[in-house]
Amino acid sequence: WGTPDIARDLPFLEADKGWIVADSSSGRVFLSYTRFPITGSVIDFQWADSNATTWSTPRQISLDTSLERGFVQGSRPAVDGDGRVYVVYELIGDSFEDYFRIRRSDDRGQTFALPVTAVSMYTNFGTGAPGFNRDHGVEFSGIAVDRSHGPQRGRIYLSWAESINWLDEVLTLGQAGNKSEVESNGSIGSATPVLLGQTIRGSVSSTLDVDFYALPLTQGQHVVVASDSAEASAVLSLRLLAGNGLTALTFTTFNSSVNPTGGNPQGFPSGWFFTAPVTGTYYIQVNQRSGPGAYRLRTGLVNRGLERGRDQRDIFVGWSDDATTWSAPVRLSEDPIGFDSWLPEVAVAADGGVYCAWYDFRDAAAATNGGESSVYLARSGDGGSTWTTLGAVTDTLSRWAPSTSNLEPNQGDYIALFANNAFVWPCWTDDRRGNPDVFAARVALIPNGAQVAFRNVRLGNRRISIDWEASPADTLTMRLYRSTDGGAFQYRDLVQFGANGLLTYDDTTVTADRGYSYRLGRFSNGVEIFYGQVTVFLPSLFPLSLGLPRPQPVVGGTFGVSLSLATDEAADLILHDISGREVFRQRVNLGRGPHTLTLPVDAGLKQGLYILTLRQGGRNTSTRVHLVR
């Protein structure tokens, strides 16, 4: 090792979360980090040659606006195989959602395009995973770029964990009456019984005074416990313990301020969100952090709406081919509801296979209520659309609650994941020796093989038809699975692609107003890998609708249009000029449901405004078409 070179000399504690990446195409290394000047956090960026000796002048990547300045953290740089540089960072939102923002440079870090929001998500920032001993959760993203020469070369992947939105109901907690602590309640055996929805009042008098409250929960209940007031002298900790009274499931701190030490934004109460993995009695524990005093806790249920997350945290991956347009996030977590998933990291192998590793708590002993972690690994062979859980790479569980450490957090902030042309290497923190140590595993890559991708879906009366394509064309035989309304996937049929590499599957066993997911499975090296996942909602009634033409204005010889047919009968697409004269008509007989068509533009039509009408069964709907010559 050589003598260290200083990239930037900053005051003590002003820099955090430094990450570096090397670019083989330019011979440069790129560095990003968070800086904490007096005016709040910002993301800075520098580069150097491959010797990392002489560094460029720092430039600020985050925007100097009221939206971003002071509310950014956790940046990560990445570079693709052609030298394009990306920097992603978290933006803490001013309402319920937080964001990952990303900036792209096409000139090796000299200039950057404006930031793009890659994803918005709900974070369980009030607590980390079970046993995490810092008073707020880390929700930074992992990032990787496909540098292979496969079909997804250049694709950018982000990984993260998110919860359901618990903040939209947090200010309505504690509506089921008051409950005061009954001394002595210094153990789980003497815990004061409380019910969900009550407002709890108590006091901690010294470092030896610990308050316990027994809280019955039902599996799947989404629970918030938060403090909205405390005596001026009080700096207290708030935990949830498993039924054994030993395993810590959540942890945060609070004081007299409604903007507590846990960093909750916009005046929300200081607390945490938790989904019960099993039915039973759990224990709320309050004790002194650095000052005694009285406190008030509000408890209650929150409801899951249309959120992607199912509980306190699920793992997601999203992707983009240009850092501007991003895919819908895909949930990797297939564990039962109520078990935490934490700190995911993503990597791309030399053959284009995508891997993700994270802390997973589904294998915890029953007595710990989901309080022990292993590290799970998943893989995608179709560019991030469908994922296969490969299982645990750890050979033992970690019990973080009794793990001894002189640092916060005891578990670390990240998992590392690296892939070369033969292996993928997860690296994590583990407590098998009674204190946090670093472990790694070497896992052989699963060959990528033929690519299988979802291409199209058509909805009809009690019918869902799905098209997949194999590339290169191959008469693959695969297993088809279906999930109903988000439930577990069930094997349905053995299917085979045609010689042209195409497969169409017609499902006539579906009913209206249900959601269905489909995926294809194929064994590789003894592991079943899944491809081409698609989720469809089959409504009972379809509207007659006609979308705007694409592009608008129309400049070429064709244009695309999306439409929905209300019934299975034939319909007509009619184009009129501004005087009402019909200039084009096409009969469509596609069946009820949504469709996308490409329509021709007659070379003799003049530039101007036209009206496109969809007519079916005596009903019409129209849209404007602007033609430019």
Side-chain angles (χ1 to χ4, degrees):
W1 291 90
T3 302
D5 293 293
I6 295 176
R8 187 175 186 183
D9 194 357
L10 288 168
F12 180 59
L13 294 181
E14 189 169 312
D16 189 27
K17 305 296 181 193
W19 284 85
I20 194 169
V21 65
D23 175 24
S24 58
S25 67
S26 66
R28 287 183 174 180
V29 291
F30 303 103
L31 170 70
S32 72
Y33 47 93
T34 311
R35 186 167 54 87
F36 293 94
I38 296 176
T39 52
S41 62
V42 296
I43 304 299
D44 284 354
F45 171 85
Q46 293 176 257
W47 60 266
D49 62 20
S50 59
N51 292 320
T53 53
T54 303
W55 288 86
S56 67
T57 301
R59 61 169 298 150
Q60 186 175 314
I61 291 292
S62 58
L63 298 183
D64 214 4
T65 64
S66 59
L67 175 67
E68 290 203 356
R69 190 173 185 92
F71 298 98
V72 293
Q73 241 286 30
S75 69
R76 294 278 298 272
V79 62
D80 71 12
D82 300 312
R84 284 179 286 268
V85 183
Y86 306 93
V87 179
V88 64
Y89 55 91
E90 182 187 14
L91 171 63
I92 300 170
D94 59 1
S95 184
F96 301 145
E97 294 177 289
D98 296 328
Y99 309 91
F100 290 129
R101 306 268 275 172
I102 191 165
R103 299 193 71 173
R104 166 177 164 167
S105 173
D106 293 333
D107 54 11
R108 295 179 168 86
Q110 298 294 122
T111 61
F112 282 84
L114 288 174
V116 171
T117 297
V119 67
S120 60
M121 72 283 184
Y122 303 111
T123 59
N124 192 4
F125 53 81
T127 182
F132 195 69
N133 68 339
R134 189 167 61 188
D135 57 4
H136 53 283
V138 178
E139 299 297 355
F140 306 143
S141 74
I143 185 171
V145 184
D146 187 342
R147 297 170 63 95
S148 75
H149 293 278
Q152 279 86 40
R153 176 177 171 84
R155 179 165 289 182
I156 312 141
Y157 298 91
L158 296 182
S159 61
W160 68 93
E162 67 174 281
S163 70
I164 71 171
N165 181 15
W166 54 285
L167 293 178
D168 56 351
E169 297 172 273
V170 74
L171 298 180
T172 63
L173 303 174
Q175 304 299 306
N178 298 318
K179 183 71 174 184
S180 296
E181 69 166 316
V182 178
E183 294 281 13
S184 64
N185 60 341
S187 67
I188 63 171
S190 60
T192 300
V194 297
L195 298 176
L196 202 58
Q198 289 183 324
T199 295
I200 302 172
R201 286 178 167 86
S203 179
V204 173
S205 59
S206 69
T207 56
L208 300 178
D209 186 13
V210 181
D211 295 342
F212 285 91
Y213 301 89
L215 177 66
L217 296 177
T218 301
Q219 192 280 327
Q221 282 186 316
H222 305 302
V223 181
V224 172
V225 179
S227 169
D228 65 350
S229 67
E231 192 174 347
S233 61
V235 180
L236 307 173
S237 67
L238 174 64
R239 302 176 188 267
L240 184 70
L241 302 180
N244 61 13
L246 300 173
T247 305
L249 302 176
T250 68
F251 172 66
T252 195
T253 62
F254 64 95
N255 56 23
S256 59
S257 170
V258 295
N259 218 18
T261 58
N264 298 24
Q266 305 301 314
F268 287 111
S270 176
W272 32 252
F273 164 70
F274 178 77
T275 300
V278 297
T279 298
T281 299
Y282 296 73
Y283 296 95
I284 300 170
Q285 181 192 69
V286 182
N287 63 316
Q288 181 177 313
R289 178 77 163 177
S290 61
Y295 58 86
R296 182 172 67 190
L297 305 176
R298 296 193 183 273
T299 71
L301 279 172
V302 295
N303 298 304
R304 183 191 180 206
L306 300 177
E307 297 96 328
R308 292 185 295 260
R310 305 167 304 155
D311 50 27
Q312 56 266 55
R313 263 176 290 261
D314 280 322
I315 303 300
F316 290 87
V317 171
W319 56 264
S320 173
D321 291 324
D322 57 8
T324 300
T325 302
W326 286 83
S327 71
V330 178
R331 174 169 56 85
L332 276 60
S333 306
E334 295 182 331
D335 54 330
I337 291 177
F339 291 90
D340 217 318
S341 303
W342 175 242
L343 296 180
E345 187 68 18
V346 65
V348 185
D351 64 354
V354 193
Y355 294 82
C356 185
W358 67 91
Y359 289 111
D360 193 288
F361 292 78
R362 76 184 76 180
D363 298 326
T368 69
N369 296 161
E372 298 175 306
S373 73
S374 46
V375 173
Y376 265 62
L377 186 68
R379 179 190 182 276
S380 174
D382 57 3
S385 297
T386 308
W387 290 81
T388 302
T389 300
L390 302 177
V393 297
T394 45
D395 55 6
T396 186
L397 294 170
S398 287
R399 299 185 305 122
W400 292 106
S403 180
T404 57
S405 173
N406 63 340
L407 294 176
E408 292 183 1
N410 56 330
Q411 195 172 339
D413 281 347
Y414 298 95
I415 282 179
L417 188 66
F418 172 76
N420 60 15
N421 61 356
F423 300 98
V424 59
W425 302 77
C427 182
W428 67 93
T429 312
D430 198 309
D431 91 320
R432 69 185 68 193
R433 296 174 177 174
N435 57 74
D437 288 311
V438 178
F439 288 81
R442 189 180 76 171
V443 181
L445 295 185
I446 298 173
N448 230 12
Q451 298 290 301
V452 176
F454 158 74
R455 287 293 177 244
N456 191 34
V457 63
R458 296 173 301 282
L459 305 182
N461 185 22
R462 298 183 181 178
R463 176 188 294 268
I464 298 176
S465 298
I466 307 172
D467 299 330
W468 286 277
E469 182 178 6
S471 178
D474 194 342
T475 57
L476 297 172
T477 298
M478 304 186 74
R479 294 159 58 89
L480 184 136
Y481 294 82
R482 189 182 80 179
S483 163
T484 303
D485 292 334
F489 277 93
Q490 304 290 334
Y491 170 75
R492 296 282 300 177
D493 205 353
L494 197 65
V495 294
Q496 185 174 26
F497 285 76
N500 58 358
L502 300 178
L503 167 67
T504 296
Y505 182 78
D506 293 317
D507 190 353
T508 59
T509 64
V510 293
T511 56
D513 294 323
R514 306 292 296 272
Y516 296 93
S517 296
Y518 300 85
R519 67 185 184 187
L520 300 172
R522 175 165 56 100
F523 283 90
S524 178
N525 285 16
V527 177
E528 189 171 21
I529 305 299
F530 297 106
Y531 300 85
Q533 184 166 321
V534 57
T535 299
V536 182
F537 180 76
L538 185 66
S540 56
L541 295 174
F542 289 100
L544 185 71
S545 64
L546 184 62
L548 293 173
R550 299 185 306 274
Q552 180 79 293
V554 177
V555 294
T558 61
F559 66 92
V561 64
S562 297
L563 57 91
S564 177
L565 299 180
T567 69
D568 290 330
E569 64 181 309
D572 291 294
L573 279 166
I574 310 165
L575 189 67
H576 296 89
D577 62 20
I578 198 64
S579 69
R581 181 174 61 93
E582 182 180 316
V583 297
F584 171 82
R585 179 186 290 258
Q586 180 169 315
R587 190 78 162 172
V588 291
N589 196 353
L590 301 172
R592 66 194 293 266
H595 307 279
T596 300
L597 292 177
T598 299
L599 300 178
V601 177
D602 192 297
L605 293 183
K606 298 180 180 180
Q607 175 173 300
L609 175 64
Y610 294 82
I611 304 299
L612 181 65
T613 298
L614 174 64
R615 180 176 299 163
Q616 185 186 41
R619 293 191 295 164
N620 298 328
T621 182
S622 300
T623 189
R624 294 184 177 188
V625 178
H626 295 273
L627 179 60
V628 176
R629 294 299 190 186

